[in-house]
Amino acid sequence: MKIRPVTNQLLLAAERLEIAEIVKHNGAVYEGDLTKQITHLISFRTEGAKYKAAKSWGLQIVSIEWLHHSLERGMILDEKLYDPALPKEERGKDAWDRTKPKRPSLGKRSRDNSTTSLEGGKRKLRRTTSTKLSTQNDGLWGDIVGGGAVPQVSRSGGWETIDTDALPEKEKAKLKNFDDNTKSGSFQSTIENPPRKKGMFNACRFYLYDFPPQQRQILHEHLVFNDGEISSSVDNLLVHTEKSPQIRLFRMVPHDLPVSAHPPLPESQSQVQTITVWWLERCLHRKEFMDPTEHIIGRPFPVFPIEGFSAVTVSTSAFSGIDLLHVTKAVKLVGAKYSEDMTPQSSVLVTKSLTAVRKDKFDHAQEWKVPIVTADWLWDSIEAGTRLPLSKYRIRSQKRSDSLPNISEKVLAKPLARPERSKSKMGKSTSSASSHTSKSSVRPPKNARLDHTVFESDEPVIKEEHDTQPNGSLANTAGSATPEQSYKSEPLSERSINSPTRTVSTAPAPSDHPRSRPQEDISNEISNLLAKTKTAAANPVPNEASEGRKRGAHRILGRVTSNISTGSTAHSRATSVDSTATHGHPVEYLPYHSGKPKKDQTANEQIELLMHGDRHVEKDVDSQPPATQLQYEDPDSTEAREMVMARMMGDKAPPKTGLKEKAVTVGDFMDKSRTVRRNGRERGGLR
Amino acid sequence: MGAVHRYDLTLDVTHLIVGDYDTPKYQYVARERPDVRPMTAEWIEAIRELWINDQEINMEFLEREHTLPTFHSLKFSMTGCDDRKEIFS
C-alpha cells in the first residue's frame, strides 16, 4: 500500500477508500460514521467531534501509522503507542521488535528451536525481551550462532527498502532513526537470530506493475512472506544491485495485460524479467522458485487473443490443481473456449501426459474423433502467438496401442469368457447327463441322474435340467423318459438336501413312482420346471434367496427330524413338496417317511404305498447313501457310487451287501442303527 | 496431529491461536514475538478436516489462509481527513 505524504494536503477521498479497502481486506469493518460499536478510530488529529466522542466512549484512537505497522506485523499493535496525540516520531516506538525475523513458514522453519532453548529454556511470558536483549546472553549467542548476522542484515535492508519507498519523508526519517537505534543499540540482537533457511524468493526483487491495491496487497504479502523484496518503482529495482549481483529482478504484471501495454524497460534494465501473477502462483504451488523462462505460464503472453483460437473448444485431461487453473485461464485468454466436460463438440483434447489420460476420455476422444494433443501444443502456440498445427503434438492411438487394445480386449473378453465358460459347464453337464442317460439305456437312469443333480448347487441344477431335456430326448428313444428324469430329479434333490437321514425311506420313491404316473402329470411338471428356470433366469437373486431360505429352513427341520417325532417330519415334507412342486403330488413323498400310518394320507397314496412297498424297501438301501452323502460329496465318489449303484441295480445284487458297503462309504455321521430300525419299522408298517 | 499445545506462551511456541486480541498474551506476541503467527481456530479445524479425510495438506497454503486477519473483528472509523487543517506540519 502506498501512503502519500499527508503534509500540507488533505487526505483524498481515494486515500480514504484505500484505507477502507485495506481494513476490510484484513478482516475488519469500516464505517464512515462513528458509533459505539466502533473499536478503533483512525484519527489524523487530536480534535474534532469524532475524536472527542471516541475519547469519551473510551474507544481506541490510533494514528494511521498504527494501521500500517499493524499490517506489517500482522497483528494488532499496542494502540497506546500510536496515539495521535504523540508526536509523529514517537509513534509506534518499540511497538514491536522488528529486529527479530519473521518466520517464513512452517515448511521452512529450520531447527532453531533447539538452539533457542539453549539460551533460556522455556522462557515464560514474564520475562521481557529487554532483559533478553541486553544481557551477555547475546554475546554468548553471537558465539554460538556466528554467521547469523549476514542474512539478517540483508533482510532488514529488505523491509527498509519497502518502507522507505512507501512511507512519507518523515516516516523515512523516523524509520532511519529506528533502524539506527536498532543497529547501534542492540546490534547483537540481530546476531542472535539463528540462521534460517531462505524463502524461495530470497534475492529476488519485484516490482509490481499495475495491480489494484487489493491485489497488490496480496502479492506483497506472498512475496514478502517468502523473503522477496519489493520495489516501488522500476528504477528502484536496480538500486544496490551492484552490491548483490546475484539478485534477480522481476517486474510483475497482471496476466491479462497485453504486452503492448507494458511500459518499455530502459536499456539498463534489460536483466529485469517480466513475469505474471501466474508465475507466482506456480511457485507458491510448487513451493519452489521456478525460472520464468521454464514455462510460458508465468510470462506475459506475446499475443492474445490468438487468431484461430476463437473457434476452438478445448477440453483437458490429467491437469490438476494450479495447472488446471492456468490451462483454463490461458485457454480463455487466447480466445478459445474451455469445456470442462469432454463432449463431441470439443475440438481438441489437451493432456498433460500421454499416459495420464483417463481411459474413458481417451476412448471417447477416439470415438468422437477428437484429436488428443500434448499440452506443449497449447504452450507453443501461445509462445508463437499463432495456432500451431496439431499434427506435431498429436498423441497417436498407436502409441497407446500396447495398452489400449489390450484393455479393450480384456473388456471384451470378459463378457465373452463368461458365456464360454458357462457353455462349457453346460456342455459338461450335458455330456455327463447324456452319459448317464446312455448308461441308463440299459437300466432306468433314475438314480444316476438323481445323484448327479443332487450334488449340483441350485443354479446348475436348474440349468442342467433345462439343458438335459432336449439332450436327453435325443439320447432316449422313449420320449417320456427325459421328462420323467428331470421331473424326478427336482423333487428328489430338494428332498434329499432337506433331510438326509430321511432319504433312507424316501429316496427310492420317485424312482419307482413316475412309471405309474400319468403322462399329463409329467408334462405338468415339465412346464413347471421350465417356468421355474425362466423365473430363475429372469430374476435370479430373489429366487435364489428364497430358495436359500427354504433350504436353510428345511435343513434345520431335517436335522431336527432325525431325532424327533415324525409328525414334524411329515409336516416339513409337506411344505417342501408344496414349495417345490407347485401343483402337487405330495403323494409321492409322504408315503415313504415312515411306516407310521398317517391320517392325512390319501387313498391314492396308500395304494401306491402298498403297491410299491416291497420294492421300496429294497431300493431303499441303494438310494439311501447317495442322498445322505450329498452334502459332503465330491465328484469322484459320486462317480464311484453311481457305478456301484448301477451295478447293483443291474445285477440285482443282494441289497444287504450293498447296504453294508454303502454304509461304510457314506460316512459316519449317519445313524446306522436308526436307519436300520426305521427300515424295519417301515417294512413292518407296510406289511 | 503431531503438534504441541502449550497454555503458556513459551519460547518455542510457533503459532498463537487467537480468540481475542485484547489480551496480554496477544499484546506480548504482537510486540515481542514476530516469529509467532497469529492464527484463527479454524486453521486447526481445516487441517483436521483434511487430515481425517486423508487429503493432501498444504501447510503453507493453509497457514496463509488461516492467519488471523490483522484487523479481525475490528470496526474502524476515520476522522481528520475531511478537515482542511494541516495535520502534520
Side-chain angles (χ1 to χ4, degrees), chain A residues 202-461:
Chain A
N202 185 56
C204 293
R205 195 176 288 171
F206 299 92
Y207 161 60
L208 306 179
Y209 176 77
D210 197 26
F211 287 101
Q214 202 170 328
Q215 233 174 330
R216 196 185 196 84
Q217 166 84 25
I218 296 167
L219 291 172
H220 192 289
E221 271 173 28
H222 282 304
L223 291 171
V224 172
F225 186 86
N226 289 292
D227 290 0
E229 293 175 30
I230 301 203
S231 297
S232 58
S233 75
V234 192
D235 301 320
N236 274 334
L237 273 178
L238 289 176
V239 175
H240 304 311
T241 40
E242 319 78 49
K243 272 191 239 158
S244 46
Q246 79 284 4
I247 200 161
R248 301 191 61 151
L249 306 176
F250 297 101
R251 178 176 63 164
M252 192 176 283
V253 297
H255 61 83
D256 49 359
L257 192 74
V259 173
S260 54
H262 297 170
L265 289 168
E267 277 300 306
S268 59
Q269 297 178 340
S270 48
Q271 75 269 43
V272 175
Q273 281 176 295
T274 305
I275 50 167
T276 68
V277 191
W278 291 352
W279 173 80
L280 177 63
E281 285 174 353
R282 273 168 73 87
C283 289
L284 289 175
H285 189 75
R286 311 252 156 107
K287 295 176 195 148
E288 60 177 5
F289 181 87
M290 303 172 81
D291 198 303
T293 52
E294 261 173 42
H295 208 282
I296 181 69
I297 291 290
R299 279 175 287 152
F301 292 4
V303 187
F304 67 88
I306 296 171
E307 210 179 321
F309 264 108
S310 56
V312 175
T313 307
V314 177
S315 294
T316 60
S317 181
F319 288 98
S320 64
I322 200 78
D323 292 330
L324 180 63
L325 185 75
H326 285 153
V327 168
T328 59
K329 278 181 170 175
V331 162
K332 282 172 194 156
L333 202 60
V334 297
K337 239 173 81 187
Y338 175 76
S339 168
E340 202 170 321
D341 303 315
M342 169 91 185
T343 65
Q345 278 73 48
S346 302
S347 23
V348 66
L349 177 66
V350 176
T351 180
K352 201 170 181 179
S353 74
L354 124 89
T355 45
V357 191
R358 257 172 49 205
K359 171 85 174 60
D360 51 342
K361 267 195 180 163
F362 187 88
D363 288 348
H364 280 113
Q366 298 280 318
E367 188 187 319
W368 295 330
K369 307 257 183 293
V370 175
I372 304 170
V373 296
T374 57
D376 291 337
W377 169 72
L378 188 61
W379 310 140
D380 290 355
S381 292
I382 292 168
E383 236 173 326
T386 52
R387 190 180 138 192
L388 297 172
L390 299 176
S391 51
K392 209 180 119 199
Y393 306 95
R394 215 142 158 200
I395 294 174
R396 309 257 168 231
S397 50
Q398 292 97 297
K399 274 188 181 171
R400 212 185 147 105
S401 63
D402 48 336
S403 61
L404 177 77
N406 267 351
I407 292 164
S408 63
E409 243 167 53
K410 255 181 230 158
V411 170
L412 278 175
K414 255 193 174 163
L416 275 177
R418 259 244 144 82
E420 222 169 290
R421 214 180 350 149
S422 56
K423 209 177 265 172
S424 68
K425 203 175 175 183
M426 271 167 119
K428 216 172 73 190
S429 59
T430 357
S431 66
S432 61
S434 57
S435 76
H436 290 316
T437 9
S438 62
K439 245 188 244 158
S440 70
S441 58
V442 188
R443 288 298 302 178
K446 285 111 203 176
N447 274 335
R449 181 72 189 84
L450 287 174
D451 289 341
H452 184 81
T453 359
V454 156
F455 300 119
E456 299 279 346
S457 66
D458 277 7
E459 218 189 339
V461 169

Side-chain angles (χ1 to χ4, degrees), chain A residues 453-474:
Chain A
T453 359
V454 156
F455 300 119
E456 299 279 346
S457 66
D458 277 7
E459 218 189 339
V461 169
I462 293 165
K463 249 190 216 149
E464 197 189 302
E465 271 165 5
H466 191 56
D467 210 52
T468 24
Q469 257 156 18
N471 203 305
S473 66
L474 281 176

Side-chain angles (χ1 to χ4, degrees), chain A residues 19-31 39-40 66-67, chain B residues 69-76:
Chain A
I19 289 170
E21 270 306 307
I22 291 167
V23 160
K24 273 180 208 153
H25 186 70
N26 285 283
V29 177
Y30 178 83
E31 278 176 23
T39 57
H40 289 75
W66 174 83
L67 188 76
Chain B
T70 310
F71 301 128
H72 180 70
S73 76
L74 297 189
K75 280 184 147 194
F76 284 101

Side-chain angles (χ1 to χ4, degrees), chain A residues 6-8 11 16 19 23 26-34 37-45 47 50 66-67 70-71 73-77 81 91 94-97 100 102-103 105-106 108-109 116 123-125 127 129 170 222 225-226 287, chain B residues 6 8-12 14-16 18 21-22 24-38 43 47 56-61 63-64 67-89:
Chain A
V6 278
T7 335
N8 297 326
L11 204 66
R16 186 179 189 157
I19 289 170
V23 160
N26 285 283
V29 177
Y30 178 83
E31 278 176 23
D33 297 324
L34 186 71
Q37 275 72 54
I38 298 285
T39 57
H40 289 75
L41 177 69
I42 300 168
S43 181
F44 291 87
R45 48 182 184 163
E47 54 196 54
K50 268 191 180 177
W66 174 83
L67 188 76
S70 293
L71 275 178
R73 167 64 189 98
M75 291 179 86
I76 301 162
L77 298 171
L81 297 172
R91 287 176 198 164
D94 299 330
W96 93 99
D97 187 0
K100 288 195 196 168
K102 275 195 196 168
R103 202 172 42 70
S105 80
L106 274 180
K108 296 189 201 62
R109 185 149 41 101
T116 320
R123 210 169 338 175
K124 297 277 162 106
L125 182 60
R127 258 178 102 170
T129 13
K170 290 204 170 170
H222 282 304
F225 186 86
N226 289 292
K287 295 176 195 148
Chain B
R6 294 194 202 288
D8 287 329
L9 187 74
T10 52
L11 205 66
D12 51 357
T14 57
H15 291 80
L16 180 69
V18 179
Y21 61 90
D22 198 16
K25 210 182 267 182
Y26 182 96
Q27 281 158 12
Y28 174 82
V29 167
R31 192 186 162 92
E32 307 283 359
R33 294 290 301 275
D35 56 326
V36 175
R37 294 200 125 216
W43 180 50
I47 292 174
E56 200 189 328
I57 298 175
N58 185 342
M59 256 323 195
E60 218 174 303
F61 171 77
E63 195 185 17
R64 208 153 40 221
T67 303
L68 185 78
T70 310
F71 301 128
H72 180 70
S73 76
L74 297 189
K75 280 184 147 194
F76 284 101
S77 193
M78 219 183 330
T79 179
C81 42
D82 46 3
D83 199 306
R84 258 163 218 289
K85 196 178 159 191
E86 285 186 4
I87 301 153
F88 310 109
S89 50

Side-chain angles (χ1 to χ4, degrees), chain A residues 384-638:
Chain A
T386 52
R387 190 180 138 192
L388 297 172
L390 299 176
S391 51
K392 209 180 119 199
Y393 306 95
R394 215 142 158 200
I395 294 174
R396 309 257 168 231
S397 50
Q398 292 97 297
K399 274 188 181 171
R400 212 185 147 105
S401 63
D402 48 336
S403 61
L404 177 77
N406 267 351
I407 292 164
S408 63
E409 243 167 53
K410 255 181 230 158
V411 170
L412 278 175
K414 255 193 174 163
L416 275 177
R418 259 244 144 82
E420 222 169 290
R421 214 180 350 149
S422 56
K423 209 177 265 172
S424 68
K425 203 175 175 183
M426 271 167 119
K428 216 172 73 190
S429 59
T430 357
S431 66
S432 61
S434 57
S435 76
H436 290 316
T437 9
S438 62
K439 245 188 244 158
S440 70
S441 58
V442 188
R443 288 298 302 178
K446 285 111 203 176
N447 274 335
R449 181 72 189 84
L450 287 174
D451 289 341
H452 184 81
T453 359
V454 156
F455 300 119
E456 299 279 346
S457 66
D458 277 7
E459 218 189 339
V461 169
I462 293 165
K463 249 190 216 149
E464 197 189 302
E465 271 165 5
H466 191 56
D467 210 52
T468 24
Q469 257 156 18
N471 203 305
S473 66
L474 281 176
N476 277 314
T477 37
S480 61
T482 330
E484 213 177 337
Q485 236 177 332
S486 52
Y487 166 76
K488 266 174 281 160
S489 64
E490 170 61 4
L492 184 66
S493 67
E494 279 287 331
R495 181 192 317 155
S496 46
I497 285 160
N498 292 345
S499 49
T501 41
R502 237 181 295 133
T503 34
V504 174
S505 49
T506 46
S511 59
D512 293 341
H513 282 284
R515 280 175 210 162
S516 60
R517 206 170 294 125
Q519 188 69 30
E520 50 178 314
D521 284 350
I522 291 160
S523 56
N524 265 343
E525 285 295 336
I526 295 165
S527 60
N528 250 350
L529 279 170
L530 282 173
K532 229 181 156 186
T533 331
K534 265 177 210 152
T535 38
N539 49 353
V541 176
N543 195 352
E544 235 164 63
S546 69
E547 198 100 29
R549 226 183 304 127
K550 225 191 287 168
R551 223 152 253 215
H554 289 321
R555 203 167 286 150
I556 286 159
L557 275 173
R559 239 176 242 144
V560 169
T561 26
S562 65
N563 30 345
I564 59 154
S565 75
T566 25
S568 71
T569 331
H571 181 67
S572 80
R573 176 51 37 79
T575 2
S576 81
V577 168
D578 277 350
S579 52
T580 48
T582 40
H583 79 313
H585 288 278
V587 183
E588 46 189 83
Y589 314 109
L590 285 169
Y592 313 109
H593 275 333
S594 60
K596 280 179 188 163
K598 289 194 183 87
K599 293 266 154 76
D600 51 4
Q601 271 177 350
T602 60
N604 196 1
E605 283 170 312
Q606 269 167 346
I607 288 163
E608 274 186 355
L609 230 160
L610 284 172
M611 274 172 70
H612 305 287
D614 268 354
R615 214 180 326 168
H616 155 231
V617 176
E618 253 176 29
K619 285 269 158 82
D620 212 324
V621 177
D622 305 339
S623 51
Q624 159 208 342
T628 330
Q629 211 170 9
L630 118 98
Q631 273 117 341
Y632 309 90
E633 200 47 72
D634 64 312
D636 285 344
S637 57
T638 318

